[in-house]
Amino acid sequence: MGKTIAQKIFDSHLVDSPFPNTYVLRLDRVFCHEITTPVAINDLVERGKDNVFDNTKIKAVIDHVTPAKDSKTAAQGKILRDWARRQNIKDFFDIGANGVCHAIFPEKGFVRPGFTVIMGDSHTCTHGAFGAFAAGVGTTDLEVGILKGVCSFREPKSIKFVLNGKLRDGVYAKDVILSLIAKIGVNGATNCVVEFTGPVIDSFGMEERMTLCNMAVEAGGTSGICYPDMKTVDYLWEFIRDEYKTKENALADYRTWVSDSDAEYEQVFTMDLTDLEPVCTFGYKPDQVKNVSEMAGAKVDQVYIGSCTNGRISDLRIAAGILKGHHLADGVRGIVSPATPKTYKTALDEGLLDIFMDAGFCVTNPTCGACLGMSNGVLAEGEVCASTTNRNFNGRMGKGGMVHLMSPATAAATAIAGTITNSPLYK
Protein backbone atom coordinates (compact mmCIF):
# COMPACT_ATOMS: atom_id res chain seq x y z
CA MET A 1 0.00 0.00 0.00
CA GLY A 2 1.29 3.46 -0.92
CA LYS A 3 1.90 6.32 1.49
CA THR A 4 0.72 9.89 1.74
CA ILE A 5 3.22 12.73 1.84
CA ALA A 6 2.57 13.10 5.58
CA GLN A 7 3.32 9.41 6.19
CA LYS A 8 6.55 9.73 4.22
CA ILE A 9 7.64 12.73 6.28
CA PHE A 10 6.75 10.94 9.51
CA ASP A 11 8.73 7.85 8.47
CA SER A 12 11.81 9.91 7.61
CA HIS A 13 11.74 11.85 10.90
CA LEU A 14 10.68 9.12 13.34
CA VAL A 15 12.68 9.07 16.57
CA ASP A 16 10.43 6.89 18.73
CA SER A 17 6.91 5.48 19.02
CA PRO A 18 6.51 4.89 22.77
CA PHE A 19 2.76 4.25 22.65
CA PRO A 20 0.28 3.09 20.01
CA ASN A 21 -0.62 5.89 17.60
CA THR A 22 2.13 8.11 19.05
CA TYR A 23 5.05 9.29 16.94
CA VAL A 24 7.97 11.34 18.22
CA LEU A 25 9.48 13.22 15.30
CA ARG A 26 12.77 15.01 14.80
CA LEU A 27 12.16 18.68 14.01
CA ASP A 28 13.77 20.67 11.22
CA ARG A 29 12.44 24.01 12.40
CA VAL A 30 10.97 25.53 15.55
CA PHE A 31 9.41 28.94 14.94
CA CYS A 32 8.75 31.39 17.78
CA HIS A 33 6.94 34.69 18.36
CA GLU A 34 6.44 36.96 21.32
CA ILE A 35 2.89 35.97 22.29
CA THR A 36 3.21 32.23 22.92
CA THR A 37 6.96 31.63 23.29
CA PRO A 38 7.65 33.72 26.44
CA VAL A 39 5.47 31.35 28.47
CA ALA A 40 7.61 28.43 27.31
CA ILE A 41 10.84 30.37 27.91
CA ASN A 42 9.87 31.31 31.46
CA ASP A 43 8.91 27.73 32.31
CA LEU A 44 12.20 26.38 30.94
CA VAL A 45 14.10 28.96 33.00
CA GLU A 46 12.18 28.00 36.14
CA ARG A 47 13.03 24.34 35.53
CA GLY A 48 16.71 25.10 35.09
CA LYS A 49 16.57 24.10 31.43
CA ASP A 50 17.31 27.41 29.73
CA ASN A 51 18.85 25.84 26.64
CA VAL A 52 18.02 25.23 22.97
CA PHE A 53 18.60 22.12 20.87
CA ASP A 54 20.04 24.01 17.88
CA ASN A 55 20.19 27.78 17.59
CA THR A 56 20.33 27.58 13.77
CA LYS A 57 17.04 25.69 13.53
CA ILE A 58 15.08 28.02 15.81
CA LYS A 59 13.72 31.17 14.16
CA ALA A 60 12.09 33.95 16.16
CA VAL A 61 10.18 37.15 15.45
CA ILE A 62 8.27 39.86 17.26
CA ASP A 63 5.17 40.26 15.12
CA HIS A 64 1.85 40.07 16.91
CA VAL A 65 1.97 43.46 18.62
CA THR A 66 4.74 45.53 17.11
CA PRO A 67 5.81 48.05 18.14
CA ALA A 68 4.61 47.27 21.66
CA LYS A 69 1.35 49.01 22.58
CA ASP A 70 1.68 48.86 26.38
CA SER A 71 3.94 47.66 29.18
CA LYS A 72 2.63 44.09 29.04
CA THR A 73 3.35 43.61 25.36
CA ALA A 74 6.69 45.35 25.81
CA ALA A 75 7.53 42.82 28.52
CA GLN A 76 6.63 39.91 26.24
CA GLY A 77 8.88 41.30 23.56
CA LYS A 78 11.70 41.76 26.04
CA ILE A 79 11.50 38.14 27.19
CA LEU A 80 11.83 36.90 23.61
CA ARG A 81 14.51 39.45 22.76
CA ASP A 82 16.65 38.64 25.82
CA TRP A 83 16.25 34.90 25.20
CA ALA A 84 17.25 35.21 21.56
CA ARG A 85 20.36 37.11 22.60
CA ARG A 86 21.14 34.70 25.44
CA GLN A 87 20.77 31.64 23.20
CA ASN A 88 22.48 33.30 20.24
CA ILE A 89 19.51 32.62 17.96
CA LYS A 90 20.93 33.28 14.50
CA ASP A 91 17.66 34.37 12.92
CA PHE A 92 15.78 36.73 15.22
CA PHE A 93 13.73 39.48 13.61
CA ASP A 94 13.19 42.46 15.87
CA ILE A 95 11.39 45.73 15.22
CA GLY A 96 12.44 47.20 11.89
CA ALA A 97 13.40 43.83 10.43
CA ASN A 98 10.31 41.95 11.57
CA GLY A 99 7.30 40.74 9.64
CA VAL A 100 4.29 38.49 10.11
CA CYS A 101 5.76 35.11 11.05
CA HIS A 102 4.04 32.95 8.42
CA ALA A 103 5.08 35.38 5.70
CA ILE A 104 8.64 36.28 6.68
CA PHE A 105 9.85 32.75 7.50
CA PRO A 106 9.00 31.34 4.05
CA GLU A 107 10.31 34.51 2.45
CA LYS A 108 13.68 33.89 4.12
CA GLY A 109 13.81 30.33 2.73
CA PHE A 110 13.45 28.63 6.10
CA VAL A 111 10.91 26.02 4.94
CA ARG A 112 11.71 23.20 2.52
CA PRO A 113 9.84 20.18 1.15
CA GLY A 114 9.87 17.25 3.56
CA PHE A 115 10.55 19.44 6.61
CA THR A 116 8.89 19.13 10.00
CA VAL A 117 7.95 22.49 11.52
CA ILE A 118 6.22 23.52 14.74
CA MET A 119 5.27 26.83 16.29
CA GLY A 120 3.03 27.98 19.11
CA ASP A 121 0.61 29.41 16.57
CA SER A 122 -2.36 27.70 14.94
CA HIS A 123 -1.64 29.04 11.46
CA THR A 124 1.73 27.29 11.29
CA CYS A 125 -0.06 25.04 8.79
CA THR A 126 0.72 27.78 6.23
CA HIS A 127 4.17 26.27 5.66
CA GLY A 128 2.70 23.06 4.30
CA ALA A 129 2.46 24.93 0.99
CA PHE A 130 6.09 23.86 0.47
CA GLY A 131 5.39 20.16 0.92
CA ALA A 132 6.31 20.28 4.61
CA PHE A 133 4.50 18.97 7.68
CA ALA A 134 3.88 22.11 9.72
CA ALA A 135 1.69 22.26 12.81
CA GLY A 136 0.71 24.63 15.57
CA VAL A 137 1.38 23.25 19.06
CA GLY A 138 0.77 24.08 22.70
CA THR A 139 3.22 25.38 25.27
CA THR A 140 4.46 21.98 26.51
CA ASP A 141 5.20 20.73 23.00
CA LEU A 142 6.87 24.02 22.15
CA GLU A 143 9.09 23.75 25.22
CA VAL A 144 10.17 20.23 24.30
CA GLY A 145 10.78 21.33 20.73
CA ILE A 146 12.97 24.21 21.83
CA LEU A 147 14.92 22.08 24.29
CA LYS A 148 15.17 18.71 22.52
CA GLY A 149 14.24 19.30 18.88
CA VAL A 150 11.45 16.71 18.88
CA CYS A 151 7.66 16.71 19.04
CA SER A 152 5.01 14.05 19.52
CA PHE A 153 2.11 13.60 17.10
CA ARG A 154 -0.71 11.19 16.40
CA GLU A 155 -0.89 8.99 13.31
CA PRO A 156 -0.96 11.28 10.24
CA LYS A 157 -4.39 10.59 8.80
CA SER A 158 -5.08 12.57 5.64
CA ILE A 159 -7.96 13.89 3.60
CA LYS A 160 -7.51 15.09 0.04
CA PHE A 161 -9.08 17.76 -2.11
CA VAL A 162 -8.69 17.28 -5.86
CA LEU A 163 -9.55 20.69 -7.31
CA ASN A 164 -10.36 20.60 -11.00
CA GLY A 165 -11.33 23.27 -13.51
CA LYS A 166 -10.07 26.82 -13.97
CA LEU A 167 -10.99 29.70 -11.69
CA ARG A 168 -12.93 32.57 -13.21
CA ASP A 169 -11.45 36.07 -13.27
CA GLY A 170 -11.82 37.72 -9.89
CA VAL A 171 -11.87 34.43 -7.97
CA TYR A 172 -8.84 33.72 -5.79
CA ALA A 173 -7.28 31.26 -3.34
CA LYS A 174 -9.18 32.89 -0.45
CA ASP A 175 -12.47 32.15 -2.19
CA VAL A 176 -11.35 28.57 -2.73
CA ILE A 177 -10.38 27.84 0.86
CA LEU A 178 -13.48 29.51 2.32
CA SER A 179 -15.60 27.39 -0.01
CA LEU A 180 -13.82 24.21 1.03
CA ILE A 181 -14.24 25.02 4.73
CA ALA A 182 -17.93 25.67 4.10
CA LYS A 183 -18.21 22.25 2.45
CA ILE A 184 -16.71 20.16 5.26
CA GLY A 185 -17.30 22.42 8.28
CA VAL A 186 -15.00 23.69 11.00
CA ASN A 187 -14.52 20.15 12.34
CA GLY A 188 -14.35 18.39 8.98
CA ALA A 189 -10.59 17.90 9.00
CA THR A 190 -9.95 17.48 12.73
CA ASN A 191 -6.69 15.63 13.44
CA CYS A 192 -6.02 15.28 9.71
CA VAL A 193 -3.50 16.58 7.23
CA VAL A 194 -5.33 18.30 4.38
CA GLU A 195 -3.81 17.68 0.94
CA PHE A 196 -4.60 20.10 -1.86
CA THR A 197 -4.05 18.79 -5.39
CA GLY A 198 -5.37 19.13 -8.93
CA PRO A 199 -5.19 21.64 -11.80
CA VAL A 200 -6.31 24.59 -9.66
CA ILE A 201 -3.42 24.01 -7.24
CA ASP A 202 -1.00 23.51 -10.14
CA SER A 203 -2.00 26.94 -11.46
CA PHE A 204 -1.43 28.65 -8.10
CA GLY A 205 1.83 30.35 -7.22
CA MET A 206 3.45 29.81 -3.83
CA GLU A 207 1.73 32.80 -2.24
CA GLU A 208 -1.69 31.46 -3.25
CA ARG A 209 -0.79 28.01 -1.92
CA MET A 210 0.21 29.59 1.38
CA THR A 211 -3.19 31.30 1.57
CA LEU A 212 -4.86 27.93 1.02
CA CYS A 213 -2.78 26.02 3.59
CA ASN A 214 -3.00 28.88 6.09
CA MET A 215 -6.69 28.25 6.66
CA ALA A 216 -6.62 24.43 6.82
CA VAL A 217 -6.76 24.82 10.59
CA GLU A 218 -10.11 26.62 10.25
CA ALA A 219 -11.53 23.25 9.20
CA GLY A 220 -9.78 21.58 12.14
CA GLY A 221 -6.77 20.39 10.12
CA THR A 222 -3.42 19.74 11.76
CA SER A 223 -1.65 20.88 8.61
CA GLY A 224 -2.44 21.86 5.05
CA ILE A 225 -0.06 20.55 2.40
CA CYS A 226 0.68 20.91 -1.31
CA TYR A 227 3.02 18.82 -3.43
CA PRO A 228 6.32 20.54 -4.30
CA ASP A 229 6.83 21.34 -7.98
CA MET A 230 8.92 23.68 -10.12
CA LYS A 231 7.11 26.69 -8.65
CA THR A 232 8.37 25.57 -5.25
CA VAL A 233 11.90 25.26 -6.64
CA ASP A 234 11.71 28.70 -8.28
CA TYR A 235 10.56 30.30 -5.02
CA LEU A 236 13.38 28.67 -3.05
CA TRP A 237 16.10 28.82 -5.69
CA GLU A 238 18.08 31.73 -4.22
CA PHE A 239 18.39 29.74 -0.99
CA ILE A 240 19.12 26.29 -2.44
CA ARG A 241 21.20 27.04 -5.53
CA ASP A 242 24.39 25.92 -3.79
CA GLU A 243 22.80 22.57 -2.92
CA TYR A 244 21.78 21.56 -6.46
CA LYS A 245 23.46 21.86 -9.85
CA THR A 246 20.19 22.69 -11.60
CA LYS A 247 16.58 23.39 -10.80
CA GLU A 248 15.73 20.05 -12.39
CA ASN A 249 17.99 18.30 -9.86
CA ALA A 250 16.21 20.11 -7.04
CA LEU A 251 12.81 19.17 -8.43
CA ALA A 252 13.81 15.51 -8.73
CA ASP A 253 14.82 15.54 -5.06
CA TYR A 254 11.71 17.40 -3.90
CA ARG A 255 9.36 15.12 -5.82
CA THR A 256 10.19 12.52 -3.20
CA TRP A 257 7.62 14.36 -1.11
CA VAL A 258 4.53 13.48 -3.14
CA SER A 259 1.82 11.04 -2.11
CA ASP A 260 1.73 7.68 -3.84
CA SER A 261 -1.14 7.05 -6.24
CA ASP A 262 -2.41 4.17 -4.10
CA ALA A 263 -2.18 5.97 -0.77
CA GLU A 264 -5.20 5.66 1.51
CA TYR A 265 -7.22 8.66 2.74
CA GLU A 266 -9.93 9.21 5.31
CA GLN A 267 -11.87 11.07 2.62
CA VAL A 268 -11.27 12.35 -0.90
CA PHE A 269 -13.21 15.33 -2.26
CA THR A 270 -13.11 15.86 -6.02
CA MET A 271 -14.52 19.22 -7.06
CA ASP A 272 -14.81 21.31 -10.21
CA LEU A 273 -14.30 24.98 -9.33
CA THR A 274 -15.00 26.40 -12.77
CA ASP A 275 -18.22 28.06 -11.62
CA LEU A 276 -16.99 29.16 -8.20
CA GLU A 277 -17.97 32.73 -7.30
CA PRO A 278 -16.22 35.13 -4.91
CA VAL A 279 -17.37 34.37 -1.38
CA CYS A 280 -17.20 35.84 2.12
CA THR A 281 -18.21 34.85 5.63
CA PHE A 282 -21.42 36.08 7.22
CA GLY A 283 -21.43 34.84 10.83
CA TYR A 284 -18.94 34.00 13.54
CA LYS A 285 -17.48 30.77 12.12
CA PRO A 286 -15.23 30.29 9.08
CA ASP A 287 -17.65 27.76 7.60
CA GLN A 288 -20.50 30.28 7.52
CA VAL A 289 -19.94 31.33 3.92
CA LYS A 290 -22.07 32.89 1.20
CA ASN A 291 -21.43 34.16 -2.30
CA VAL A 292 -20.50 37.83 -2.22
CA SER A 293 -23.51 38.49 -4.47
CA GLU A 294 -25.76 37.23 -1.65
CA MET A 295 -24.09 39.61 0.82
CA ALA A 296 -24.17 42.63 -1.49
CA GLY A 297 -25.17 45.83 0.25
CA ALA A 298 -24.08 44.83 3.77
CA LYS A 299 -22.56 47.92 5.38
CA VAL A 300 -19.00 47.94 6.73
CA ASP A 301 -17.12 50.39 8.94
CA GLN A 302 -13.57 49.21 8.29
CA VAL A 303 -11.63 47.40 5.58
CA TYR A 304 -8.44 45.58 6.55
CA ILE A 305 -5.92 44.24 4.03
CA GLY A 306 -3.02 42.25 5.47
CA SER A 307 -2.20 39.26 7.73
CA CYS A 308 -0.46 35.91 7.25
CA THR A 309 -3.31 34.95 4.93
CA ASN A 310 -3.43 37.84 2.46
CA GLY A 311 -0.74 40.43 3.20
CA ARG A 312 1.81 39.38 0.57
CA ILE A 313 2.83 41.37 -2.49
CA SER A 314 0.47 39.52 -4.85
CA ASP A 315 -2.43 40.42 -2.55
CA LEU A 316 -1.44 44.09 -2.41
CA ARG A 317 -1.08 44.25 -6.19
CA ILE A 318 -4.60 42.90 -6.67
CA ALA A 319 -6.14 45.29 -4.14
CA ALA A 320 -4.22 48.32 -5.40
CA GLY A 321 -5.23 47.55 -8.98
CA ILE A 322 -8.86 47.88 -7.97
CA LEU A 323 -8.38 50.91 -5.73
CA LYS A 324 -6.37 52.96 -8.22
CA GLY A 325 -8.21 56.17 -9.03
CA HIS A 326 -10.85 55.54 -6.37
CA HIS A 327 -11.37 56.54 -2.75
CA LEU A 328 -12.77 54.97 0.38
CA ALA A 329 -16.51 55.44 0.75
CA ASP A 330 -17.63 58.06 3.25
CA GLY A 331 -17.65 56.66 6.77
CA VAL A 332 -15.33 53.76 5.95
CA ARG A 333 -11.78 53.59 7.22
CA GLY A 334 -9.15 51.45 5.51
CA ILE A 335 -5.99 49.85 6.87
CA VAL A 336 -3.32 48.01 4.90
CA SER A 337 -0.42 46.18 6.55
CA PRO A 338 2.19 44.67 4.20
CA ALA A 339 3.20 41.35 5.76
CA THR A 340 7.00 41.83 5.68
CA PRO A 341 9.54 44.62 5.20
CA LYS A 342 10.38 43.17 1.77
CA THR A 343 6.70 43.27 0.84
CA TYR A 344 6.45 46.83 2.15
CA LYS A 345 9.49 47.99 0.16
CA THR A 346 8.34 46.24 -3.01
CA ALA A 347 4.90 47.84 -2.67
CA LEU A 348 6.58 51.20 -2.09
CA ASP A 349 8.84 50.83 -5.12
CA GLU A 350 5.92 49.80 -7.32
CA GLY A 351 3.80 52.76 -6.22
CA LEU A 352 1.22 50.57 -4.53
CA LEU A 353 1.43 52.38 -1.21
CA ASP A 354 0.75 55.68 -3.00
CA ILE A 355 -2.40 54.12 -4.43
CA PHE A 356 -3.55 52.97 -1.01
CA MET A 357 -2.81 56.32 0.59
CA ASP A 358 -4.44 58.28 -2.24
CA ALA A 359 -7.51 56.11 -1.68
CA GLY A 360 -7.54 57.12 1.98
CA PHE A 361 -6.00 54.02 3.53
CA CYS A 362 -3.75 54.07 6.58
CA VAL A 363 -0.59 52.12 5.72
CA THR A 364 0.98 50.48 8.76
CA ASN A 365 4.12 48.49 9.46
CA PRO A 366 4.01 44.67 9.24
CA THR A 367 2.06 43.34 12.23
CA CYS A 368 -0.53 40.75 13.25
CA GLY A 369 -2.13 43.23 15.63
CA ALA A 370 -5.49 43.84 13.97
CA CYS A 371 -6.14 40.19 13.12
CA LEU A 372 -6.34 39.11 16.76
CA GLY A 373 -7.82 42.36 18.04
CA MET A 374 -4.75 43.61 19.92
CA SER A 375 -3.64 46.71 17.98
CA ASN A 376 -3.64 48.58 14.66
CA GLY A 377 -7.31 48.16 13.80
CA VAL A 378 -9.36 46.96 16.78
CA LEU A 379 -13.11 47.30 16.28
CA ALA A 380 -15.56 49.04 18.60
CA GLU A 381 -18.69 47.20 19.70
CA GLY A 382 -21.17 46.97 16.86
CA GLU A 383 -18.65 47.78 14.14
CA VAL A 384 -18.17 45.64 11.03
CA CYS A 385 -14.89 44.90 9.24
CA ALA A 386 -14.34 43.51 5.75
CA SER A 387 -11.08 41.67 6.29
CA THR A 388 -8.53 39.56 4.43
CA THR A 389 -7.60 37.78 7.67
CA ASN A 390 -8.43 34.19 8.61
CA ARG A 391 -10.79 34.21 11.59
CA ASN A 392 -14.21 35.71 12.15
CA PHE A 393 -14.83 34.47 15.70
CA ASN A 394 -17.06 36.64 17.85
CA GLY A 395 -14.84 39.40 19.24
CA ARG A 396 -11.81 38.34 17.19
CA MET A 397 -10.97 41.90 16.11
CA GLY A 398 -12.56 43.58 19.09
CA LYS A 399 -15.34 42.90 21.57
CA GLY A 400 -18.73 43.09 19.89
CA GLY A 401 -17.25 43.50 16.41
CA MET A 402 -18.22 41.55 13.29
CA VAL A 403 -15.64 40.32 10.77
CA HIS A 404 -16.43 39.30 7.20
CA LEU A 405 -13.55 37.29 5.71
CA MET A 406 -12.91 37.81 2.00
CA SER A 407 -10.26 38.09 -0.69
CA PRO A 408 -8.17 41.25 -1.20
CA ALA A 409 -10.12 41.91 -4.42
CA THR A 410 -13.46 41.81 -2.64
CA ALA A 411 -12.08 43.88 0.25
CA ALA A 412 -10.84 46.59 -2.11
CA ALA A 413 -14.15 46.77 -3.96
CA THR A 414 -16.00 46.87 -0.66
CA ALA A 415 -13.81 49.75 0.51
CA ILE A 416 -14.88 51.82 -2.49
CA ALA A 417 -18.57 50.96 -2.24
CA GLY A 418 -18.85 51.09 1.54
CA THR A 419 -20.86 47.88 1.38
CA ILE A 420 -19.89 44.31 0.52
CA THR A 421 -19.66 43.96 -3.24
CA ASN A 422 -17.95 41.91 -5.94
CA SER A 423 -14.81 43.33 -7.47
CA PRO A 424 -14.87 44.60 -11.06
CA LEU A 425 -12.42 41.80 -11.88
CA TYR A 426 -15.17 39.22 -11.48
CA LYS A 427 -17.06 38.62 -14.69
Side-chain angles (χ1 to χ4, degrees):
M1 184 60 64
K3 295 181 178 181
T4 65
I5 180 175
Q7 288 171 327
K8 291 181 179 182
I9 294 173
F10 271 51
D11 287 349
S12 67
H13 289 72
L14 185 63
V15 175
D16 193 11
S17 183
F19 308 106
N21 196 31
T22 302
Y23 300 84
V24 179
L25 304 185
R26 170 179 54 84
L27 298 173
D28 294 298
R29 295 286 184 267
V30 176
F31 293 155
C32 303
H33 63 57
E34 90 283 8
I35 296 298
T36 58
T37 309
V39 179
I41 292 170
N42 287 342
D43 192 58
L44 287 170
V45 170
E46 289 178 10
R47 293 170 180 270
K49 298 181 182 297
D50 185 23
N51 297 296
V52 298
F53 80 102
D54 187 332
N55 63 358
T56 66
K57 293 182 178 181
I58 295 175
K59 317 295 180 180
V61 64
I62 293 177
D63 66 347
H64 273 57
V65 184
T66 174
K69 68 182 178 69
D70 53 28
S71 296
K72 182 178 179 179
T73 53
Q76 287 178 295
K78 186 177 187 303
I79 292 169
L80 188 70
R81 188 177 293 117
D82 290 347
W83 172 76
R85 186 181 301 113
R86 193 165 65 243
Q87 302 299 340
N88 193 26
I89 302 299
K90 303 297 183 183
D91 296 299
F92 169 59
F93 302 95
D94 207 339
I95 294 172
N98 57 342
V100 175
C101 54
H102 307 308
I104 197 168
F105 291 154
E107 184 182 274
K108 297 292 184 180
F110 295 153
V111 186
R112 310 286 172 81
F115 269 20
T116 51
V117 182
I118 66 166
M119 186 177 195
D121 188 289
S122 58
H123 293 103
T124 307
C125 50
T126 306
H127 308 289
F130 291 83
F133 174 78
V137 298
T139 301
T140 300
D141 285 332
L142 182 62
E143 284 187 47
V144 174
I146 288 170
L147 184 64
K148 297 294 186 180
V150 297
C151 191
S152 177
F153 296 97
R154 295 179 181 178
E155 179 184 359
K157 296 181 179 179
S158 296
I159 65 174
K160 180 165 70 171
F161 283 98
V162 182
L163 305 180
N164 297 318
K166 181 180 179 181
L167 297 183
R168 298 163 70 175
D169 291 342
V171 180
Y172 297 95
K174 186 63 160 288
D175 302 301
V176 172
I177 189 59
L178 285 174
S179 298
L180 301 187
I181 295 168
K183 181 176 180 61
I184 67 173
V186 292
N187 298 313
T190 300
N191 296 326
C192 288
V193 174
V194 185
E195 283 188 19
F196 300 105
T197 68
V200 170
I201 306 305
D202 294 341
S203 72
F204 280 169
M206 292 308 299
E207 294 192 349
E208 293 167 297
R209 294 175 191 180
M210 282 187 266
T211 294
L212 206 65
C213 291
N214 175 271
M215 293 189 66
V217 69
E218 308 308 337
T222 301
S223 183
I225 201 161
C226 298
Y227 301 158
D229 59 9
M230 188 54 79
K231 291 181 180 178
T232 315
V233 173
D234 287 339
Y235 186 98
L236 292 172
W237 187 243
E238 66 176 294
F239 307 105
I240 63 174
R241 61 193 319 153
D242 292 336
E243 301 173 27
Y244 301 97
K245 288 184 178 180
T246 66
K247 289 184 177 181
E248 288 70 26
N249 292 145
L251 179 60
D253 185 20
Y254 289 167
R255 292 298 287 178
T256 302
W257 308 110
V258 173
S259 295
D260 296 327
S261 60
D262 56 345
E264 289 189 345
Y265 294 89
E266 297 298 298
Q267 286 182 288
V268 177
F269 300 92
T270 302
M271 305 168 63
D272 188 325
L273 301 185
T274 302
D275 295 326
L276 182 66
E277 295 185 28
V279 299
C280 65
T281 58
F282 65 87
Y284 293 108
K285 296 196 302 176
D287 62 356
Q288 294 178 306
V289 176
K290 290 182 179 180
N291 290 338
V292 172
S293 58
E294 298 177 78
M295 294 288 290
K299 183 76 174 64
V300 303
D301 301 288
Q302 176 173 292
V303 173
Y304 182 81
I305 299 172
S307 84
C308 60
T309 314
N310 284 124
R312 299 177 180 84
I313 191 62
S314 58
D315 303 309
L316 302 191
R317 286 169 178 156
I318 291 165
I322 293 168
L323 287 165
K324 188 173 183 178
H326 297 278
H327 198 275
L328 286 166
D330 288 344
V332 176
R333 58 188 183 272
I335 301 168
V336 59
S337 175
T340 70
K342 181 180 179 181
T343 301
Y344 193 110
K345 189 175 188 309
T346 302
L348 180 65
D349 292 344
E350 293 182 5
L352 306 184
L353 300 190
D354 285 339
I355 293 173
F356 284 114
M357 294 179 72
D358 289 345
F361 272 74
C362 168
V363 178
T364 80
N365 61 291
T367 176
C368 303
C371 179
L372 71 161
M374 291 191 72
S375 64
N376 284 46
V378 178
L379 300 175
E381 187 170 354
E383 288 192 319
V384 177
C385 182
S387 180
T388 68
T389 54
N390 45 41
R391 286 202 169 139
N392 59 331
F393 301 161
N394 193 354
R396 171 71 176 180
M397 291 183 74
K399 184 178 179 180
M402 163 69 78
V403 180
H404 296 296
L405 305 178
M406 60 187 65
S407 74
T410 304
T414 297
I416 297 166
T419 58
I420 293 177
T421 187
N422 270 320
S423 81
L425 301 177
Y426 175 65
K427 306 299 183 185

